[in-house]
PDB file of all heavy atoms in Angstrom:
ATOM      1  N   GLY A 216      53.694 -41.879 -39.769  1.00 93.00           N
ATOM      2  CA  GLY A 216      52.749 -42.902 -39.364  1.00 93.00           C
ATOM      3  C   GLY A 216      52.463 -43.856 -40.501  1.00 93.00           C
ATOM      4  O   GLY A 216      52.781 -43.577 -41.665  1.00 93.00           O
ATOM      5  N   CYS A 217      51.857 -44.994 -40.182  1.00 92.00           N
ATOM      6  CA  CYS A 217      51.560 -46.016 -41.185  1.00 92.00           C
ATOM      7  C   CYS A 217      50.045 -46.212 -41.298  1.00 92.00           C
ATOM      8  O   CYS A 217      49.268 -45.498 -40.681  1.00 92.00           O
ATOM      9  CB  CYS A 217      52.263 -47.322 -40.817  1.00 92.00           C
ATOM     10  SG  CYS A 217      54.073 -47.164 -40.724  1.00 92.00           S
ATOM     11  N   GLY A 218      49.650 -47.202 -42.121  1.00 90.00           N
ATOM     12  CA  GLY A 218      48.229 -47.468 -42.320  1.00 90.00           C
ATOM     13  C   GLY A 218      47.608 -46.717 -43.472  1.00 90.00           C
ATOM     14  O   GLY A 218      46.380 -46.740 -43.653  1.00 90.00           O
ATOM     15  N   TRP A 219      48.426 -46.045 -44.287  1.00 92.00           N
ATOM     16  CA  TRP A 219      47.901 -45.244 -45.384  1.00 92.00           C
ATOM     17  C   TRP A 219      47.559 -46.080 -46.613  1.00 92.00           C
ATOM     18  O   TRP A 219      47.073 -45.534 -47.605  1.00 92.00           O
ATOM     19  CB  TRP A 219      48.896 -44.140 -45.741  1.00 92.00           C
ATOM     20  CG  TRP A 219      48.969 -43.102 -44.676  1.00 92.00           C
ATOM     21  CD1 TRP A 219      49.694 -43.156 -43.518  1.00 92.00           C
ATOM     22  CD2 TRP A 219      48.257 -41.868 -44.624  1.00 92.00           C
ATOM     23  NE1 TRP A 219      49.493 -42.035 -42.757  1.00 92.00           N
ATOM     24  CE2 TRP A 219      48.616 -41.221 -43.414  1.00 92.00           C
ATOM     25  CE3 TRP A 219      47.362 -41.237 -45.487  1.00 92.00           C
ATOM     26  CZ2 TRP A 219      48.112 -39.985 -43.048  1.00 92.00           C
ATOM     27  CZ3 TRP A 219      46.859 -39.996 -45.127  1.00 92.00           C
ATOM     28  CH2 TRP A 219      47.223 -39.385 -43.918  1.00 92.00           C
ATOM     29  N   GLY A 220      47.781 -47.384 -46.561  1.00 86.00           N
ATOM     30  CA  GLY A 220      47.364 -48.249 -47.647  1.00 86.00           C
ATOM     31  C   GLY A 220      45.859 -48.409 -47.737  1.00 86.00           C
ATOM     32  O   GLY A 220      45.336 -48.938 -48.720  1.00 86.00           O
ATOM     33  N   ASP A 221      45.140 -47.939 -46.725  1.00 88.00           N
ATOM     34  CA  ASP A 221      43.679 -48.032 -46.703  1.00 88.00           C
ATOM     35  C   ASP A 221      43.010 -46.860 -47.415  1.00 88.00           C
ATOM     36  O   ASP A 221      41.785 -46.758 -47.417  1.00 88.00           O
ATOM     37  CB  ASP A 221      43.177 -48.077 -45.258  1.00 88.00           C
ATOM     38  CG  ASP A 221      43.632 -49.329 -44.519  1.00 88.00           C
ATOM     39  OD1 ASP A 221      43.843 -50.355 -45.191  1.00 88.00           O
ATOM     40  OD2 ASP A 221      43.787 -49.256 -43.289  1.00 88.00           O
ATOM     41  N   TYR A 222      43.819 -45.973 -48.016  1.00 90.00           N
ATOM     42  CA  TYR A 222      43.269 -44.786 -48.657  1.00 90.00           C
ATOM     43  C   TYR A 222      43.785 -44.665 -50.081  1.00 90.00           C
ATOM     44  O   TYR A 222      44.922 -45.033 -50.383  1.00 90.00           O
ATOM     45  CB  TYR A 222      43.650 -43.525 -47.874  1.00 90.00           C
ATOM     46  CG  TYR A 222      43.193 -43.552 -46.443  1.00 90.00           C
ATOM     47  CD1 TYR A 222      44.035 -44.010 -45.440  1.00 90.00           C
ATOM     48  CD2 TYR A 222      41.905 -43.155 -46.102  1.00 90.00           C
ATOM     49  CE1 TYR A 222      43.616 -44.059 -44.116  1.00 90.00           C
ATOM     50  CE2 TYR A 222      41.475 -43.198 -44.787  1.00 90.00           C
ATOM     51  CZ  TYR A 222      42.332 -43.648 -43.800  1.00 90.00           C
ATOM     52  OH  TYR A 222      41.902 -43.699 -42.500  1.00 90.00           O
ATOM     53  N   GLN A 223      42.920 -44.146 -50.962  1.00 85.00           N
ATOM     54  CA  GLN A 223      43.394 -43.756 -52.275  1.00 85.00           C
ATOM     55  C   GLN A 223      44.396 -42.629 -52.103  1.00 85.00           C
ATOM     56  O   GLN A 223      44.386 -41.915 -51.105  1.00 85.00           O
ATOM     57  CB  GLN A 223      42.225 -43.303 -53.159  1.00 85.00           C
ATOM     58  CG  GLN A 223      41.266 -44.420 -53.537  1.00 85.00           C
ATOM     59  CD  GLN A 223      40.140 -43.928 -54.418  1.00 85.00           C
ATOM     60  OE1 GLN A 223      40.282 -42.925 -55.107  1.00 85.00           O
ATOM     61  NE2 GLN A 223      39.017 -44.628 -54.389  1.00 85.00           N
ATOM     62  N   ARG A 224      45.240 -42.454 -53.101  1.00 78.00           N
ATOM     63  CA  ARG A 224      46.365 -41.535 -52.991  1.00 78.00           C
ATOM     64  C   ARG A 224      45.953 -40.208 -52.363  1.00 78.00           C
ATOM     65  O   ARG A 224      45.157 -39.455 -52.923  1.00 78.00           O
ATOM     66  CB  ARG A 224      46.953 -41.294 -54.379  1.00 78.00           C
ATOM     67  CG  ARG A 224      48.211 -40.455 -54.369  1.00 78.00           C
ATOM     68  CD  ARG A 224      48.785 -40.401 -55.763  1.00 78.00           C
ATOM     69  NE  ARG A 224      49.941 -39.516 -55.813  1.00 78.00           N
ATOM     70  CZ  ARG A 224      50.645 -39.324 -56.905  1.00 78.00           C
ATOM     71  NH1 ARG A 224      50.311 -39.946 -58.013  1.00 78.00           N
ATOM     72  NH2 ARG A 224      51.666 -38.513 -56.896  1.00 78.00           N
ATOM     73  N   PRO A 225      46.515 -39.869 -51.203  1.00 90.00           N
ATOM     74  CA  PRO A 225      46.159 -38.625 -50.524  1.00 90.00           C
ATOM     75  C   PRO A 225      46.623 -37.397 -51.307  1.00 90.00           C
ATOM     76  O   PRO A 225      47.428 -37.484 -52.234  1.00 90.00           O
ATOM     77  CB  PRO A 225      46.891 -38.740 -49.186  1.00 90.00           C
ATOM     78  CG  PRO A 225      47.189 -40.190 -49.025  1.00 90.00           C
ATOM     79  CD  PRO A 225      47.416 -40.704 -50.411  1.00 90.00           C
ATOM     80  N   ALA A 226      46.117 -36.244 -50.893  1.00 92.00           N
ATOM     81  CA  ALA A 226      46.485 -34.989 -51.541  1.00 92.00           C
ATOM     82  C   ALA A 226      46.808 -33.945 -50.481  1.00 92.00           C
ATOM     83  O   ALA A 226      46.138 -33.857 -49.453  1.00 92.00           O
ATOM     84  CB  ALA A 226      45.348 -34.484 -52.427  1.00 92.00           C
ATOM     85  N   ALA A 227      47.870 -33.166 -50.732  1.00 93.00           N
ATOM     86  CA  ALA A 227      48.153 -31.989 -49.921  1.00 93.00           C
ATOM     87  C   ALA A 227      47.185 -30.897 -50.359  1.00 93.00           C
ATOM     88  O   ALA A 227      47.206 -30.474 -51.511  1.00 93.00           O
ATOM     89  CB  ALA A 227      49.605 -31.556 -50.131  1.00 93.00           C
ATOM     90  N   VAL A 228      46.316 -30.461 -49.460  1.00 91.00           N
ATOM     91  CA  VAL A 228      45.178 -29.638 -49.888  1.00 91.00           C
ATOM     92  C   VAL A 228      45.227 -28.197 -49.402  1.00 91.00           C
ATOM     93  O   VAL A 228      44.289 -27.440 -49.624  1.00 91.00           O
ATOM     94  CB  VAL A 228      43.839 -30.273 -49.439  1.00 91.00           C
ATOM     95  CG1 VAL A 228      43.605 -31.558 -50.175  1.00 91.00           C
ATOM     96  CG2 VAL A 228      43.811 -30.483 -47.933  1.00 91.00           C
ATOM     97  N   GLY A 229      46.302 -27.791 -48.742  1.00 89.00           N
ATOM     98  CA  GLY A 229      46.361 -26.414 -48.276  1.00 89.00           C
ATOM     99  C   GLY A 229      45.730 -26.263 -46.909  1.00 89.00           C
ATOM    100  O   GLY A 229      45.421 -27.232 -46.224  1.00 89.00           O
ATOM    101  N   ASP A 230      45.548 -25.035 -46.507  1.00 91.00           N
ATOM    102  CA  ASP A 230      45.026 -24.709 -45.183  1.00 91.00           C
ATOM    103  C   ASP A 230      43.503 -24.726 -45.227  1.00 91.00           C
ATOM    104  O   ASP A 230      42.868 -23.739 -45.577  1.00 91.00           O
ATOM    105  CB  ASP A 230      45.543 -23.341 -44.755  1.00 91.00           C
ATOM    106  CG  ASP A 230      45.060 -22.936 -43.379  1.00 91.00           C
ATOM    107  OD1 ASP A 230      44.545 -23.814 -42.656  1.00 91.00           O
ATOM    108  OD2 ASP A 230      45.186 -21.753 -43.036  1.00 91.00           O
ATOM    109  N   MET A 231      42.906 -25.854 -44.841  1.00 92.00           N
ATOM    110  CA  MET A 231      41.460 -26.016 -44.932  1.00 92.00           C
ATOM    111  C   MET A 231      40.713 -25.429 -43.730  1.00 92.00           C
ATOM    112  O   MET A 231      39.509 -25.196 -43.809  1.00 92.00           O
ATOM    113  CB  MET A 231      41.100 -27.502 -45.057  1.00 92.00           C
ATOM    114  CG  MET A 231      41.712 -28.207 -46.261  1.00 92.00           C
ATOM    115  SD  MET A 231      41.284 -27.466 -47.847  1.00 92.00           S
ATOM    116  CE  MET A 231      39.508 -27.491 -47.773  1.00 92.00           C
ATOM    117  N   ASN A 232      41.412 -25.214 -42.615  1.00 92.00           N
ATOM    118  CA  ASN A 232      40.713 -24.752 -41.411  1.00 92.00           C
ATOM    119  C   ASN A 232      41.254 -23.424 -40.899  1.00 92.00           C
ATOM    120  O   ASN A 232      41.040 -23.062 -39.736  1.00 92.00           O
ATOM    121  CB  ASN A 232      40.786 -25.808 -40.307  1.00 92.00           C
ATOM    122  CG  ASN A 232      42.218 -26.148 -39.924  1.00 92.00           C
ATOM    123  OD1 ASN A 232      43.150 -25.847 -40.664  1.00 92.00           O
ATOM    124  ND2 ASN A 232      42.397 -26.776 -38.772  1.00 92.00           N
ATOM    125  N   SER A 233      41.951 -22.683 -41.749  1.00 89.00           N
ATOM    126  CA  SER A 233      42.378 -21.309 -41.458  1.00 89.00           C
ATOM    127  C   SER A 233      43.277 -21.199 -40.240  1.00 89.00           C
ATOM    128  O   SER A 233      43.225 -20.196 -39.498  1.00 89.00           O
ATOM    129  CB  SER A 233      41.145 -20.402 -41.277  1.00 89.00           C
ATOM    130  OG  SER A 233      40.305 -20.446 -42.403  1.00 89.00           O
ATOM    131  N   ASP A 234      44.154 -22.199 -40.031  1.00 90.00           N
ATOM    132  CA  ASP A 234      45.107 -22.114 -38.930  1.00 90.00           C
ATOM    133  C   ASP A 234      46.523 -21.857 -39.419  1.00 90.00           C
ATOM    134  O   ASP A 234      47.472 -21.854 -38.635  1.00 90.00           O
ATOM    135  CB  ASP A 234      45.070 -23.375 -38.068  1.00 90.00           C
ATOM    136  CG  ASP A 234      45.548 -24.614 -38.816  1.00 90.00           C
ATOM    137  OD1 ASP A 234      45.775 -24.535 -40.047  1.00 90.00           O
ATOM    138  OD2 ASP A 234      45.685 -25.679 -38.178  1.00 90.00           O
ATOM    139  N   GLY A 235      46.692 -21.643 -40.736  1.00 88.00           N
ATOM    140  CA  GLY A 235      47.994 -21.315 -41.286  1.00 88.00           C
ATOM    141  C   GLY A 235      48.894 -22.491 -41.564  1.00 88.00           C
ATOM    142  O   GLY A 235      50.087 -22.304 -41.804  1.00 88.00           O
ATOM    143  N   VAL A 236      48.342 -23.716 -41.556  1.00 92.00           N
ATOM    144  CA  VAL A 236      49.144 -24.922 -41.777  1.00 92.00           C
ATOM    145  C   VAL A 236      48.482 -25.770 -42.862  1.00 92.00           C
ATOM    146  O   VAL A 236      47.251 -25.873 -42.927  1.00 92.00           O
ATOM    147  CB  VAL A 236      49.269 -25.757 -40.476  1.00 92.00           C
ATOM    148  CG1 VAL A 236      50.170 -26.974 -40.710  1.00 92.00           C
ATOM    149  CG2 VAL A 236      49.805 -24.907 -39.351  1.00 92.00           C
ATOM    150  N   GLY A 237      49.292 -26.412 -43.695  1.00 93.00           N
ATOM    151  CA  GLY A 237      48.765 -27.300 -44.717  1.00 93.00           C
ATOM    152  C   GLY A 237      48.125 -28.537 -44.127  1.00 93.00           C
ATOM    153  O   GLY A 237      48.563 -29.053 -43.093  1.00 93.00           O
ATOM    154  N   ASP A 238      47.079 -29.040 -44.772  1.00 95.00           N
ATOM    155  CA  ASP A 238      46.337 -30.219 -44.339  1.00 95.00           C
ATOM    156  C   ASP A 238      46.368 -31.281 -45.433  1.00 95.00           C
ATOM    157  O   ASP A 238      46.820 -31.028 -46.550  1.00 95.00           O
ATOM    158  CB  ASP A 238      44.894 -29.838 -44.000  1.00 95.00           C
ATOM    159  CG  ASP A 238      44.818 -28.696 -42.989  1.00 95.00           C
ATOM    160  OD1 ASP A 238      45.532 -28.771 -41.975  1.00 95.00           O
ATOM    161  OD2 ASP A 238      44.076 -27.733 -43.234  1.00 95.00           O
ATOM    162  N   VAL A 239      45.869 -32.471 -45.117  1.00 96.00           N
ATOM    163  CA  VAL A 239      45.891 -33.593 -46.051  1.00 96.00           C
ATOM    164  C   VAL A 239      44.498 -34.211 -46.123  1.00 96.00           C
ATOM    165  O   VAL A 239      43.789 -34.287 -45.108  1.00 96.00           O
ATOM    166  CB  VAL A 239      46.912 -34.664 -45.603  1.00 96.00           C
ATOM    167  CG1 VAL A 239      46.826 -35.921 -46.469  1.00 96.00           C
ATOM    168  CG2 VAL A 239      48.326 -34.102 -45.652  1.00 96.00           C
ATOM    169  N   MET A 240      44.108 -34.659 -47.337  1.00 96.00           N
ATOM    170  CA  MET A 240      42.845 -35.358 -47.528  1.00 96.00           C
ATOM    171  C   MET A 240      43.053 -36.591 -48.394  1.00 96.00           C
ATOM    172  O   MET A 240      44.001 -36.656 -49.189  1.00 96.00           O
ATOM    173  CB  MET A 240      41.794 -34.443 -48.155  1.00 96.00           C
ATOM    174  CG  MET A 240      41.259 -33.408 -47.208  1.00 96.00           C
ATOM    175  SD  MET A 240      39.830 -32.515 -47.861  1.00 96.00           S
ATOM    176  CE  MET A 240      39.308 -31.657 -46.387  1.00 96.00           C
ATOM    177  N   ALA A 241      42.175 -37.578 -48.219  1.00 95.00           N
ATOM    178  CA  ALA A 241      42.239 -38.800 -49.007  1.00 95.00           C
ATOM    179  C   ALA A 241      40.865 -39.460 -49.014  1.00 95.00           C
ATOM    180  O   ALA A 241      40.011 -39.155 -48.173  1.00 95.00           O
ATOM    181  CB  ALA A 241      43.277 -39.760 -48.431  1.00 95.00           C
ATOM    182  N   ILE A 242      40.654 -40.368 -49.968  1.00 94.00           N
ATOM    183  CA  ILE A 242      39.412 -41.138 -50.065  1.00 94.00           C
ATOM    184  C   ILE A 242      39.679 -42.557 -49.591  1.00 94.00           C
ATOM    185  O   ILE A 242      40.665 -43.180 -50.004  1.00 94.00           O
ATOM    186  CB  ILE A 242      38.879 -41.155 -51.507  1.00 94.00           C
ATOM    187  CG1 ILE A 242      38.588 -39.727 -51.976  1.00 94.00           C
ATOM    188  CG2 ILE A 242      37.616 -42.016 -51.620  1.00 94.00           C
ATOM    189  CD1 ILE A 242      38.212 -39.626 -53.438  1.00 94.00           C
ATOM    190  N   SER A 243      38.833 -43.080 -48.699  1.00 92.00           N
ATOM    191  CA  SER A 243      39.010 -44.438 -48.195  1.00 92.00           C
ATOM    192  C   SER A 243      38.947 -45.436 -49.340  1.00 92.00           C
ATOM    193  O   SER A 243      38.201 -45.262 -50.309  1.00 92.00           O
ATOM    194  CB  SER A 243      37.948 -44.757 -47.145  1.00 92.00           C
ATOM    195  OG  SER A 243      36.650 -44.547 -47.657  1.00 92.00           O
ATOM    196  N   ASP A 244      39.740 -46.518 -49.232  1.00 83.00           N
ATOM    197  CA  ASP A 244      39.928 -47.435 -50.355  1.00 83.00           C
ATOM    198  C   ASP A 244      39.530 -48.861 -49.993  1.00 83.00           C
ATOM    199  O   ASP A 244      40.123 -49.825 -50.482  1.00 83.00           O
ATOM    200  CB  ASP A 244      41.392 -47.393 -50.812  1.00 83.00           C
ATOM    201  CG  ASP A 244      41.578 -47.980 -52.193  1.00 83.00           C
ATOM    202  OD1 ASP A 244      40.611 -47.978 -52.965  1.00 83.00           O
ATOM    203  OD2 ASP A 244      42.688 -48.454 -52.488  1.00 83.00           O
ATOM    204  N   ASN A 245      38.539 -49.032 -49.139  1.00 76.00           N
ATOM    205  CA  ASN A 245      38.039 -50.361 -48.778  1.00 76.00           C
ATOM    206  C   ASN A 245      36.904 -50.732 -49.725  1.00 76.00           C
ATOM    207  O   ASN A 245      35.877 -50.062 -49.768  1.00 76.00           O
ATOM    208  CB  ASN A 245      37.538 -50.371 -47.329  1.00 76.00           C
ATOM    209  CG  ASN A 245      37.243 -51.770 -46.818  1.00 76.00           C
ATOM    210  OD1 ASN A 245      36.787 -52.627 -47.572  1.00 76.00           O
ATOM    211  ND2 ASN A 245      37.515 -51.999 -45.556  1.00 76.00           N
ATOM    212  N   ILE A 246      37.089 -51.810 -50.506  1.00 69.00           N
ATOM    213  CA  ILE A 246      36.097 -52.176 -51.524  1.00 69.00           C
ATOM    214  C   ILE A 246      34.792 -52.660 -50.907  1.00 69.00           C
ATOM    215  O   ILE A 246      33.775 -52.766 -51.594  1.00 69.00           O
ATOM    216  CB  ILE A 246      36.647 -53.256 -52.470  1.00 69.00           C
ATOM    217  CG1 ILE A 246      36.981 -54.536 -51.676  1.00 69.00           C
ATOM    218  CG2 ILE A 246      37.869 -52.753 -53.208  1.00 69.00           C
ATOM    219  CD1 ILE A 246      37.405 -55.694 -52.564  1.00 69.00           C
ATOM    220  N   TYR A 247      34.805 -52.962 -49.627  1.00 70.00           N
ATOM    221  CA  TYR A 247      33.603 -53.470 -48.961  1.00 70.00           C
ATOM    222  C   TYR A 247      32.824 -52.366 -48.247  1.00 70.00           C
ATOM    223  O   TYR A 247      31.786 -52.630 -47.641  1.00 70.00           O
ATOM    224  CB  TYR A 247      33.978 -54.566 -47.952  1.00 70.00           C
ATOM    225  CG  TYR A 247      34.722 -55.707 -48.579  1.00 70.00           C
ATOM    226  CD1 TYR A 247      36.088 -55.855 -48.380  1.00 70.00           C
ATOM    227  CD2 TYR A 247      34.066 -56.634 -49.395  1.00 70.00           C
ATOM    228  CE1 TYR A 247      36.787 -56.915 -48.955  1.00 70.00           C
ATOM    229  CE2 TYR A 247      34.762 -57.684 -49.984  1.00 70.00           C
ATOM    230  CZ  TYR A 247      36.113 -57.810 -49.758  1.00 70.00           C
ATOM    231  OH  TYR A 247      36.797 -58.850 -50.335  1.00 70.00           O
ATOM    232  N   GLU A 248      33.336 -51.155 -48.277  1.00 77.00           N
ATOM    233  CA  GLU A 248      32.682 -50.061 -47.566  1.00 77.00           C
ATOM    234  C   GLU A 248      32.446 -48.881 -48.497  1.00 77.00           C
ATOM    235  O   GLU A 248      33.017 -48.787 -49.578  1.00 77.00           O
ATOM    236  CB  GLU A 248      33.550 -49.614 -46.376  1.00 77.00           C
ATOM    237  CG  GLU A 248      33.759 -50.686 -45.327  1.00 77.00           C
ATOM    238  CD  GLU A 248      34.654 -50.214 -44.198  1.00 77.00           C
ATOM    239  OE1 GLU A 248      35.110 -49.051 -44.254  1.00 77.00           O
ATOM    240  OE2 GLU A 248      34.901 -51.000 -43.278  1.00 77.00           O
ATOM    241  N   GLN A 249      31.597 -47.968 -48.060  1.00 86.00           N
ATOM    242  CA  GLN A 249      31.334 -46.754 -48.814  1.00 86.00           C
ATOM    243  C   GLN A 249      32.591 -45.897 -48.870  1.00 86.00           C
ATOM    244  O   GLN A 249      33.356 -45.820 -47.904  1.00 86.00           O
ATOM    245  CB  GLN A 249      30.193 -45.975 -48.140  1.00 86.00           C
ATOM    246  CG  GLN A 249      29.659 -44.803 -48.945  1.00 86.00           C
ATOM    247  CD  GLN A 249      28.494 -44.125 -48.262  1.00 86.00           C
ATOM    248  OE1 GLN A 249      28.260 -44.317 -47.081  1.00 86.00           O
ATOM    249  NE2 GLN A 249      27.754 -43.326 -49.003  1.00 86.00           N
ATOM    250  N   LYS A 250      32.827 -45.270 -50.021  1.00 91.00           N
ATOM    251  CA  LYS A 250      33.995 -44.411 -50.180  1.00 91.00           C
ATOM    252  C   LYS A 250      33.742 -43.085 -49.477  1.00 91.00           C
ATOM    253  O   LYS A 250      32.824 -42.338 -49.846  1.00 91.00           O
ATOM    254  CB  LYS A 250      34.278 -44.160 -51.657  1.00 91.00           C
ATOM    255  CG  LYS A 250      34.499 -45.417 -52.475  1.00 91.00           C
ATOM    256  CD  LYS A 250      35.848 -46.036 -52.206  1.00 91.00           C
ATOM    257  CE  LYS A 250      36.106 -47.185 -53.171  1.00 91.00           C
ATOM    258  NZ  LYS A 250      37.412 -47.838 -52.948  1.00 91.00           N
ATOM    259  N   CYS A 251      34.572 -42.790 -48.486  1.00 94.00           N
ATOM    260  CA  CYS A 251      34.416 -41.564 -47.718  1.00 94.00           C
ATOM    261  C   CYS A 251      35.657 -40.684 -47.844  1.00 94.00           C
ATOM    262  O   CYS A 251      36.771 -41.182 -48.011  1.00 94.00           O
ATOM    263  CB  CYS A 251      34.170 -41.878 -46.241  1.00 94.00           C
ATOM    264  SG  CYS A 251      32.633 -42.791 -45.932  1.00 94.00           S
ATOM    265  N   LEU A 252      35.450 -39.378 -47.768  1.00 95.00           N
ATOM    266  CA  LEU A 252      36.540 -38.414 -47.793  1.00 95.00           C
ATOM    267  C   LEU A 252      37.006 -38.168 -46.363  1.00 95.00           C
ATOM    268  O   LEU A 252      36.211 -37.861 -45.483  1.00 95.00           O
ATOM    269  CB  LEU A 252      36.066 -37.097 -48.418  1.00 95.00           C
ATOM    270  CG  LEU A 252      37.110 -35.989 -48.555  1.00 95.00           C
ATOM    271  CD1 LEU A 252      38.176 -36.386 -49.576  1.00 95.00           C
ATOM    272  CD2 LEU A 252      36.449 -34.674 -48.962  1.00 95.00           C
ATOM    273  N   TRP A 253      38.318 -38.304 -46.161  1.00 95.00           N
ATOM    274  CA  TRP A 253      38.924 -38.107 -44.854  1.00 95.00           C
ATOM    275  C   TRP A 253      39.840 -36.891 -44.885  1.00 95.00           C
ATOM    276  O   TRP A 253      40.345 -36.518 -45.933  1.00 95.00           O
ATOM    277  CB  TRP A 253      39.751 -39.331 -44.454  1.00 95.00           C
ATOM    278  CG  TRP A 253      38.929 -40.537 -44.094  1.00 95.00           C
ATOM    279  CD1 TRP A 253      38.169 -41.306 -44.934  1.00 95.00           C
ATOM    280  CD2 TRP A 253      38.800 -41.109 -42.802  1.00 95.00           C
ATOM    281  NE1 TRP A 253      37.568 -42.324 -44.235  1.00 95.00           N
ATOM    282  CE2 TRP A 253      37.943 -42.237 -42.916  1.00 95.00           C
ATOM    283  CE3 TRP A 253      39.335 -40.805 -41.548  1.00 95.00           C
ATOM    284  CZ2 TRP A 253      37.610 -43.037 -41.833  1.00 95.00           C
ATOM    285  CZ3 TRP A 253      39.005 -41.607 -40.459  1.00 95.00           C
ATOM    286  CH2 TRP A 253      38.144 -42.705 -40.605  1.00 95.00           C
ATOM    287  N   ARG A 254      40.060 -36.298 -43.711  1.00 96.00           N
ATOM    288  CA  ARG A 254      41.010 -35.200 -43.616  1.00 96.00           C
ATOM    289  C   ARG A 254      41.845 -35.333 -42.346  1.00 96.00           C
ATOM    290  O   ARG A 254      41.425 -35.900 -41.344  1.00 96.00           O
ATOM    291  CB  ARG A 254      40.300 -33.854 -43.647  1.00 96.00           C
ATOM    292  CG  ARG A 254      39.286 -33.650 -42.528  1.00 96.00           C
ATOM    293  CD  ARG A 254      39.853 -32.776 -41.420  1.00 96.00           C
ATOM    294  NE  ARG A 254      38.841 -32.508 -40.401  1.00 96.00           N
ATOM    295  CZ  ARG A 254      38.959 -32.850 -39.122  1.00 96.00           C
ATOM    296  NH1 ARG A 254      40.020 -33.516 -38.703  1.00 96.00           N
ATOM    297  NH2 ARG A 254      38.022 -32.542 -38.253  1.00 96.00           N
ATOM    298  N   TRP A 255      43.080 -34.793 -42.458  1.00 96.00           N
ATOM    299  CA  TRP A 255      44.030 -34.744 -41.355  1.00 96.00           C
ATOM    300  C   TRP A 255      44.552 -33.319 -41.262  1.00 96.00           C
ATOM    301  O   TRP A 255      45.130 -32.803 -42.227  1.00 96.00           O
ATOM    302  CB  TRP A 255      45.208 -35.705 -41.585  1.00 96.00           C
ATOM    303  CG  TRP A 255      44.835 -37.153 -41.592  1.00 96.00           C
ATOM    304  CD1 TRP A 255      44.966 -38.058 -40.573  1.00 96.00           C
ATOM    305  CD2 TRP A 255      44.269 -37.888 -42.682  1.00 96.00           C
ATOM    306  NE1 TRP A 255      44.520 -39.291 -40.957  1.00 96.00           N
ATOM    307  CE2 TRP A 255      44.086 -39.226 -42.247  1.00 96.00           C
ATOM    308  CE3 TRP A 255      43.897 -37.561 -43.998  1.00 96.00           C
ATOM    309  CZ2 TRP A 255      43.558 -40.208 -43.065  1.00 96.00           C
ATOM    310  CZ3 TRP A 255      43.357 -38.539 -44.812  1.00 96.00           C
ATOM    311  CH2 TRP A 255      43.194 -39.849 -44.346  1.00 96.00           C
ATOM    312  N   TRP A 256      44.364 -32.661 -40.114  1.00 96.00           N
ATOM    313  CA  TRP A 256      44.875 -31.308 -39.947  1.00 96.00           C
ATOM    314  C   TRP A 256      46.378 -31.340 -39.724  1.00 96.00           C
ATOM    315  O   TRP A 256      46.905 -32.165 -38.968  1.00 96.00           O
ATOM    316  CB  TRP A 256      44.248 -30.610 -38.737  1.00 96.00           C
ATOM    317  CG  TRP A 256      42.768 -30.413 -38.703  1.00 96.00           C
ATOM    318  CD1 TRP A 256      41.976 -30.537 -37.599  1.00 96.00           C
ATOM    319  CD2 TRP A 256      41.898 -30.018 -39.767  1.00 96.00           C
ATOM    320  NE1 TRP A 256      40.671 -30.249 -37.916  1.00 96.00           N
ATOM    321  CE2 TRP A 256      40.594 -29.931 -39.239  1.00 96.00           C
ATOM    322  CE3 TRP A 256      42.097 -29.746 -41.113  1.00 96.00           C
ATOM    323  CZ2 TRP A 256      39.495 -29.573 -40.013  1.00 96.00           C
ATOM    324  CZ3 TRP A 256      41.000 -29.393 -41.889  1.00 96.00           C
ATOM    325  CH2 TRP A 256      39.729 -29.306 -41.341  1.00 96.00           C
ATOM    326  N   GLY A 257      47.117 -30.414 -40.349  1.00 95.00           N
ATOM    327  CA  GLY A 257      48.522 -30.235 -40.025  1.00 95.00           C
ATOM    328  C   GLY A 257      48.647 -29.606 -38.651  1.00 95.00           C
ATOM    329  O   GLY A 257      47.841 -28.754 -38.265  1.00 95.00           O
ATOM    330  N   ASN A 258      49.664 -30.041 -37.897  1.00 96.00           N
ATOM    331  CA  ASN A 258      49.797 -29.533 -36.524  1.00 96.00           C
ATOM    332  C   ASN A 258      50.789 -28.369 -36.416  1.00 96.00           C
ATOM    333  O   ASN A 258      51.042 -27.876 -35.314  1.00 96.00           O
ATOM    334  CB  ASN A 258      50.200 -30.655 -35.568  1.00 96.00           C
ATOM    335  CG  ASN A 258      51.542 -31.294 -35.912  1.00 96.00           C
ATOM    336  OD1 ASN A 258      52.348 -30.726 -36.653  1.00 96.00           O
ATOM    337  ND2 ASN A 258      51.791 -32.483 -35.375  1.00 96.00           N
ATOM    338  N   GLY A 259      51.364 -27.940 -37.548  1.00 95.00           N
ATOM    339  CA  GLY A 259      52.272 -26.809 -37.534  1.00 95.00           C
ATOM    340  C   GLY A 259      53.692 -27.149 -37.155  1.00 95.00           C
ATOM    341  O   GLY A 259      54.576 -26.301 -37.212  1.00 95.00           O
TER     342      GLY A 259
END
């Protein structure tokens, strides 16, 4: 997928929700908005 230019460099963070699959996190990179932490669950 695309659109990842809106985030600071993402990180592979391991299994954050105990489903046995690696997940991804990143910090939003919009200078006009509050910096928020985002997550994407791996679907296996």
Side-chain angles (χ1 to χ4, degrees):
C217 300
W219 290 82
D221 295 332
Y222 302 93
Q223 292 181 25
R224 185 174 176 178
V228 293
D230 181 14
M231 301 302 305
N232 59 343
S233 304
D234 66 352
V236 183
D238 306 313
V239 173
M240 287 190 169
I242 300 173
S243 55
D244 197 25
N245 190 325
I246 61 174
Y247 303 106
E248 297 178 0
Q249 190 177 16
K250 302 286 187 180
C251 297
L252 182 67
W253 288 69
R254 59 101 176 120
W255 294 260
W256 300 141
N258 61 18

